[in-house]
Amino acid sequence: EFRRVLFRSDRLLALVLALGCAGSLSAAPVPVGRIQWLMTEEPSKPDAQGHLRLTPTEKVLAYLAGAWPEVKQSIVSANIKRGNRMLGEGEPVCHAAMVRTPAREQQLYFIDTALLPQQQLVIRSEDLSQLPRNAAGEADLPALLADPSRHGALIEGRSYGNAIDAQLAARPAGGGLQLFSLRGYSGGRLLPMLTLKRIDYTIEYPGVVAALREDRKSTRLNSSHGYIS
């Protein structure tokens, strides 16, 4: 079973619409006839019952296609690392589902489209007793990141929110965290790796964990209460 360990902060993360690079902030409005959208998620696929669960990006793009028919819209597929590089280099692309952070606001123009709950630490239930904790009994993420015997996996270039990003940036060398250049969320690869005991932890939105549980009816998926400091 998986355990989803909640973050102590009760702030919501904004999943936002990025419309350009920093250079566009001072530019006068111009007519828009064509937009290239970055797709950094794996396209959705029908589940066992034939139901199609759209990704956040697909939901936004489906709405925009219907609401903005006069603009020609196309999709460019890329993993998150490459997509971030394209945006940072000022290529004429936009992202329809991107976490808004102060660092990204220095380069990109954002319009808020959705609010999501805090991302959570995900571990196997049998490892819960070994989770490092602080004096208040909360999960200690910096200690976990510094432990070379605990193998974590996250997606390179993805933002996990300001608080988590800061702890990731401050982690010491020699820890057990590995970054993967993947597309989208961790349900397609990292959570299955956790189930198979190839990694010991990851970080993900609760909805992604719930969707994988529903799709695979896995007996290894479960939720719990707890907090990361």
Side-chain angles (χ1 to χ4, degrees):
E1 293 181 349
F2 283 171
R3 290 293 202 180
R4 294 187 292 118
V5 186
L6 308 181
F7 290 93
R8 183 175 61 185
S9 171
D10 59 357
R11 294 183 303 168
L12 294 177
L13 295 177
L15 188 67
V16 300
L17 179 65
L19 296 178
C21 66
S24 66
L25 295 179
S26 60
V30 296
V32 177
R34 180 173 179 265
I35 290 182
Q36 293 187 98
W37 295 105
L38 277 173
M39 174 67 79
T40 57
E41 306 164 6
E42 290 289 347
S44 58
K45 300 177 182 178
D47 59 20
Q49 290 73 42
H51 301 140
L52 190 64
R53 182 184 291 110
L54 297 180
T55 68
T57 300
E58 289 173 328
K59 291 178 181 179
V60 174
L61 296 185
Y63 169 79
L64 290 173
W68 213 3
E70 67 274 18
V71 175
K72 182 179 180 180
Q73 302 178 49
S74 59
I75 294 176
V76 178
S77 295
N79 63 35
I80 293 177
K81 182 179 179 181
R82 176 171 173 255
N84 288 347
R85 184 174 66 250
M86 293 172 68
L87 287 166
E89 293 175 352
E91 293 194 32
V93 292
C94 304
H95 200 302
M98 193 177 199
V99 174
R100 184 172 187 165
T101 67
R104 288 174 173 175
E105 287 179 331
Q106 299 299 312
Q107 292 184 307
L108 307 174
Y109 174 74
F110 285 92
I111 296 176
D112 293 347
T113 58
L115 290 176
L116 295 179
Q118 274 281 6
Q119 300 181 67
Q120 301 174 357
L121 176 67
V122 187
I123 63 172
R124 290 184 299 273
S125 293
E126 63 261 32
D127 295 336
L128 189 61
S129 62
Q130 303 174 32
L131 189 68
R133 298 179 182 272
N134 61 20
E138 301 164 335
D140 190 335
L141 181 58
L144 184 62
L145 294 171
D147 187 348
S149 70
R150 307 289 290 175
H151 300 109
L154 297 177
I155 299 176
E156 187 175 12
R158 175 175 165 181
S159 173
Y160 291 88
N162 296 335
I164 305 172
D165 288 348
Q167 294 181 66
L168 293 175
R171 72 186 188 279
L177 180 65
Q178 186 175 0
L179 301 179
F180 290 82
S181 293
L182 301 175
R183 291 180 61 184
Y185 301 99
S186 61
R189 181 171 176 183
L190 300 189
L191 290 178
M193 288 173 64
L194 186 57
T195 301
L196 296 172
K197 299 186 178 182
R198 294 175 181 171
I199 60 172
D200 299 311
Y201 65 90
T202 188
I203 296 172
E204 191 48 88
Y205 290 108
V208 175
V209 178
L212 184 64
R213 181 190 300 118
E214 180 64 24
D215 289 345
R216 304 192 178 189
K217 302 295 183 182
S218 173
T219 57
R220 297 182 177 222
L221 293 175
N222 202 352
S223 62
S224 70
H225 299 287
Y227 299 89
I228 278 185
S229 58

